[in-house]
Every structure is written in C-alpha cells, then in structure tokens.
Amino acid sequence: GALAKAQKDNFFQEAKRIHFIHMAAGDIEWFKEPVNAAEKSELREKIELELAEDAQLVVAVGPRLKREISDLLRGNSKKSPPVLEFIPGFSEELEKNAAPPELNHCLILGRADDYKLKGLDIAARAIAKVAQKKMFVGEMPELIIRGASPGTGHELRDMLIKICGDTGVDIKVRNYSSHEDDILSDLKRASLLLMP
C-alpha cells in the first residue's frame, strides 16, 4: 500500500514494487457504514488506482478482484502495469493429511476487527441454525475464529455467543496469526473453512 510506495520512493528507488489487491476498494465502504459511502468509495478507488498504476506489477486475489482492478486501470490515462491473478490454495502438507477431523470445527481465517464486514455474525447465525436443526453428525459444531486483535477475543466471543443464543454452540476465538504453523494446524483440524 501507501507505506510500501513511500519506502520505495524515499529509500529504495531502484526496487520494484508489487501492489496486492485483496479487496474491492470501491465496494467495501457500503458494507462498513453507508453514511457518505459514495464519497468514501470513490476516494478509496482513486487511492487504489494511484498505488496500482505506479507499481511495476499488480497482483489481485481471485478472478473478481483481477477484473475489478483491470477495469479500474483501463479507465486511467497512464500506462497500466500487468495484472496477475493470485489463486490461494492448500499446501501439499495439508493434502497429505487426508483423514477427516473427528470434531466439527468450522474455521474462519482473517482479521476479525470488523465482525460485520467479515460476516462473523452470519457465520454464528448459520452454525446456530445447524445446531438447532441437528444438521450434523457426531459432536456439536464449534466455531473457531483465527483473527482477533490481541485483547479483543473475549468481547468478540461473548458477542457471537449471544448471536448463537441457547444452542450449545461453542465459539473459540484465537488471535490473528500469519504463522504458517498456526494456520496449518487450524486447517488440519477443521471440518469446514469459511473465508470472510
């Protein structure tokens, strides 16, 4: 983002900068707070465009974001850098472990600072519905969230348990981690992965 651009411009002029697109800048404001969303969305798109057009390469996560940034770049007057599509996947290490987990863990990976924007409330309601209608085999499903900021897990868990109501669903909130071992461990134990 802007900090990487500042580092390159101020200290590493010979470096090449890759700009990653992991969200649709013009769409996200409508989900946060609709007050002034039109103005904020347009501003975010302009910032994203300036960062992208100045990069040597743009990498978008998934086909939708690739189309989004490609069209945004197409509308500008400067020469556009190439845009690559990045498709996340599972590592070979995870694929080696083919046996299904014994517990019904529904895992959500991603920063949980804005629980509504990330859909954590929707996930909690969905898992509560699964529990109420007994639409599972074996143990009661658990919602595992890997993404809380330090010191916020207890509050997030309490709020999501209220959403689940008296269903017996347990919710475990873990701090955000980008460590491969933490994520791999969570994935190996999960029956279902939801991406926010």
Side-chain angles (χ1 to χ4, degrees), residues 4 97 101:
N97 187 12

Side-chain angles (χ1 to χ4, degrees), residues 30-49:
W30 298 98
F31 295 100
K32 287 182 174 181
E33 193 174 320
V35 177
N36 297 326
E39 293 85 5
K40 290 177 185 176
S41 291
E42 188 171 7
L43 177 61
R44 284 186 71 110
E45 274 190 351
K46 284 181 181 180
I47 292 169
E48 201 71 51
L49 175 61

Side-chain angles (χ1 to χ4, degrees), residues 67-121:
R67 290 190 303 269
E68 183 83 24
I69 192 63
S70 294
D71 281 353
L72 194 59
L73 284 164
R74 190 172 289 116
N76 77 6
S77 58
K78 292 186 178 181
K79 183 181 174 196
S80 297
V83 179
L84 296 180
E85 181 179 325
F86 175 72
I87 304 291
F90 293 108
S91 68
E92 288 181 29
E93 177 71 23
L94 188 62
E95 292 172 6
K96 288 179 193 172
N97 187 12
E102 296 190 30
L103 296 174
N104 289 321
H105 285 179
C106 175
L107 174 64
I108 298 178
L109 293 173
R111 295 193 188 274
D113 296 335
D114 190 340
Y115 76 92
K116 282 190 175 180
L117 181 62
K118 298 294 183 169
L120 302 183
D121 55 331

